[in-house]
Amino acid sequence: MYIDFDTEIDREGTNSIKWEFHNHGGVPGQHWDRASRRHGADRTLAMWVADMDFRCPEPVIAAMRDRVEHGIFGYSNKTDSYFEAVAAWFARRQGWPVQKEWIVTTPGVVPTLNVVVRGFTQPGDKVIVQRPVYYPFFRVAKNNGAEIVSNGLIYENGDYRMDLEDLERKAADPKAKLFILCSPHNPIGKVWGAEELRAVAEVCARHGVLVVADEIHGDLLFPDVRFTAFATLGSVAADNTIVCTAPSKTFNLAGLHTSNVIIPNQAIRERFQTALATSSMPGMNPFGIVATEAAYREGEPWLNSVMQYVAGNARRMTEFFAAELPKLKVVQPEGTYLLWFDCTALGLDKDQLESLMLDKAKIYFDEGYIFGDEGIGFERINIACPRSILDEALSRMRDAIRSL
Ligand SMILES: Cc1ncc(COP(=O)(O)O)c(C=O)c1O
């Protein structure tokens, strides 16, 4: 299916966090500056927060347009048809026969993680993560008095792997209560295989550590890559997990605040629902409901096309680095539309690297260090953009680095 992802769409004037605001210190929601980024020859290119610069699937826009035309936007809830669409998606795309009763809706994955930490830990308990990793994981633990422990990923020959022996030791600590799995892993773009996920499931079950599987990027796969949904790995995994999913990354609907949390184990689900009920979290908004259902029913051709385009962007960047910036290395992605690249060979400290990219090249990335100290010397770029924007960013990086 041909869809035009090449045309640049000006997002100025849409309240876009990515293009119109600047966030200091990696703490979304705080320290916001209003920044007009698009105007003038030296506009700063926004390649940080994870949303795409593409229109979402046309059937989604049509469903929302119909809903707008009704003109009344009161409190809203889901019907059976919604749950059927969600369950059918996971069965079809991920080979995971989700039952409708397992699905709990929330306004987002990060709010969900916050509720999980509140509901399943006591202050002083430990939450295990695998740095470098999506930085709001640190915040949800801290917000609730839990301590973050990192089972750091091992970086070798340009690739990452899990340190399962270290995980075994950390999970054995009686204070360790939760393990937040990021699968596929943001920022490194790794799609974990069945073998390592099964090992994680066994270690965590053995030590009574609940696995929170953040699978928000689970549909964003490079061509020929297979995703293993954690809960498909048998009862050891399925009975000890809370799986966070959302149509927001998959179909570019992040502003609609819609997430489906899937919990096969009834006791864990009820405990989560109790914690959710005491959090005063709002229910779903009317647009999120219709958009999610339309996306899961009719968005598949768009998703396949967008990931082909993103894979083309990843190839472009890898080839550009090899030809023009051989000191920089892309960690080859298998999933997500976020590329993690290694700038350590430039020999800059984290402030110098940030200033090089932001002040000199005028590109706003997510700096590697915000994902944990393991990310120092790396950058995360969002490549879900027209190729012309990527090309402009690559030229700017080349010119800035050559001027060093
Ligand atoms: C791994 C991961 N989890 C959660 C989120 C955010 O989810 P939400 O907007 O539903 O809170 C993101 C967004 O980039 C993410 O990368």
Side-chain angles (χ1 to χ4, degrees):
M1 178 182 198
Y2 173 75
I3 300 174
D4 173 16
F5 296 114
D6 281 321
T7 302
E8 286 187 33
I9 300 172
D10 190 349
R11 296 180 64 181
E12 186 81 23
T14 64
N15 306 312
S16 160
I17 281 187
K18 184 180 184 183
W19 281 97
E20 299 182 68
F21 293 83
H22 187 123
N23 166 241
H24 297 280
V27 187
Q30 294 176 20
H31 317 302
W32 292 107
D33 276 354
R34 181 80 171 77
S36 184
R37 326 190 67 80
R38 297 278 301 181
H39 297 301
D42 68 346
R43 62 178 184 166
T44 299
L45 298 177
M47 309 188 91
W48 62 297
V49 73
D51 67 32
M52 306 187 191
D53 293 327
F54 305 133
R55 272 166 73 84
C56 72
E58 288 303 324
V60 174
I61 297 169
M64 291 178 69
R65 194 176 286 129
D66 282 352
R67 186 65 190 82
V68 165
E69 282 304 320
H70 184 268
I72 299 177
F73 311 117
Y75 298 116
S76 305
N77 210 343
K78 297 88 38 187
T79 61
D80 267 357
S81 164
Y82 173 94
F83 290 108
E84 277 156 18
V86 176
W89 175 268
F90 288 99
R92 193 169 70 246
R93 286 288 296 201
Q94 301 186 3
W96 180 20
V98 167
Q99 293 178 23
K100 285 187 287 179
E101 340 39 280
W102 298 351
I103 305 169
V104 184
T105 60
T106 70
V109 170
V110 173
T112 300
L113 296 174
N114 206 68
V115 169
V116 173
V117 178
R118 261 192 43 194
F120 291 82
T121 67
Q122 301 291 327
D125 282 346
K126 294 183 178 170
V127 175
I128 305 173
V129 299
Q130 296 180 307
R131 294 192 331 205
V133 76
Y134 181 59
Y135 43 90
F137 291 177
F138 313 147
R139 193 171 73 232
V140 296
K142 202 167 149 224
N143 281 349
N144 295 287
E147 188 186 324
I148 280 284
V149 174
S150 180
N151 163 232
L153 298 174
I154 298 173
Y155 181 55
E156 247 169 25
N157 304 322
D159 194 13
Y160 284 88
R161 62 187 163 84
M162 291 191 189
D163 184 346
L164 293 166
E165 284 173 19
D166 180 69
L167 178 62
E168 180 88 52
R169 275 192 300 277
K170 289 183 170 147
D173 180 342
K175 286 269 181 201
K177 293 290 165 22
L178 293 180
F179 173 77
I180 308 182
L181 170 73
C182 196
S183 177
H185 195 102
N186 172 8
I188 62 170
K190 185 97 183 165
V191 177
W192 301 116
E195 205 179 314
E196 54 222 328
L197 291 175
R198 201 169 277 121
V200 164
E202 281 164 10
V203 169
C204 289
R206 190 156 50 242
H207 297 292
V209 172
L210 176 65
V211 179
V212 187
D214 181 342
E215 297 186 352
I216 196 168
H217 295 280
D219 295 310
L220 296 166
L221 305 171
F222 280 64
D224 303 324
V225 176
R226 234 185 76 80
F227 173 68
T228 304
F230 187 75
T232 60
L233 293 169
S235 59
V236 174
D239 282 343
N240 184 42
T241 192
I242 293 176
V243 182
C244 301
T245 76
S248 51
K249 302 289 151 194
T250 312
F251 300 106
N252 204 23
L253 308 173
L256 298 181
H257 292 289
T258 303
S259 157
N260 295 294
V261 185
I262 306 177
I263 312 175
N265 179 307
Q266 189 180 345
I268 297 175
R269 189 166 64 246
E270 286 173 358
R271 188 165 166 190
F272 174 74
Q273 283 168 314
T274 304
L276 187 63
T278 57
S279 71
S280 300
M281 198 88 82
M284 285 178 80
N285 68 79
F287 300 108
I289 296 172
V290 295
T292 299
E293 184 168 343
Y296 281 145
R297 287 193 191 281
E298 299 175 80
E300 204 160 353
W302 180 94
L303 174 62
N304 294 336
S305 301
V306 85
M307 285 313 290
Q308 297 267 354
Y309 192 84
V310 166
N313 277 356
R315 260 195 315 278
R316 178 80 135 225
M317 182 155 157
T318 304
E319 286 165 8
F320 185 93
F321 278 6
E324 310 261 351
L325 289 171
K327 283 191 171 171
L328 269 47
K329 299 274 183 266
V330 174
V331 173
Q332 284 306 307
E334 297 164 329
T336 83
Y337 49 76
L338 308 163
L339 288 200
W340 184 240
F341 60 99
D342 184 344
C343 308
T344 51
L346 296 176
L348 303 176
D349 69 24
K350 68 184 187 23
D351 296 332
Q352 290 168 327
L353 183 60
E354 180 165 12
S355 171
L356 178 78
M357 297 301 184
L358 188 58
D359 304 326
K360 190 138 201 167
K362 295 219 176 301
I363 313 167
Y364 187 10
F365 293 132
D366 260 355
E367 294 300 312
Y369 66 82
I370 67 178
F371 300 88
D373 285 352
E374 295 83 347
I376 292 174
F378 289 75
E379 298 279 1
R380 191 193 79 174
I381 178 173
N382 179 342
I383 56 165
C385 61
R387 202 149 293 153
S388 53
I389 294 188
L390 178 66
D391 284 343
E392 192 177 332
L394 293 173
S395 311
R396 288 184 188 197
M397 269 195 270
R398 177 194 52 212
D399 295 348
I401 288 169
R402 287 194 177 158
S403 75
L404 281 174

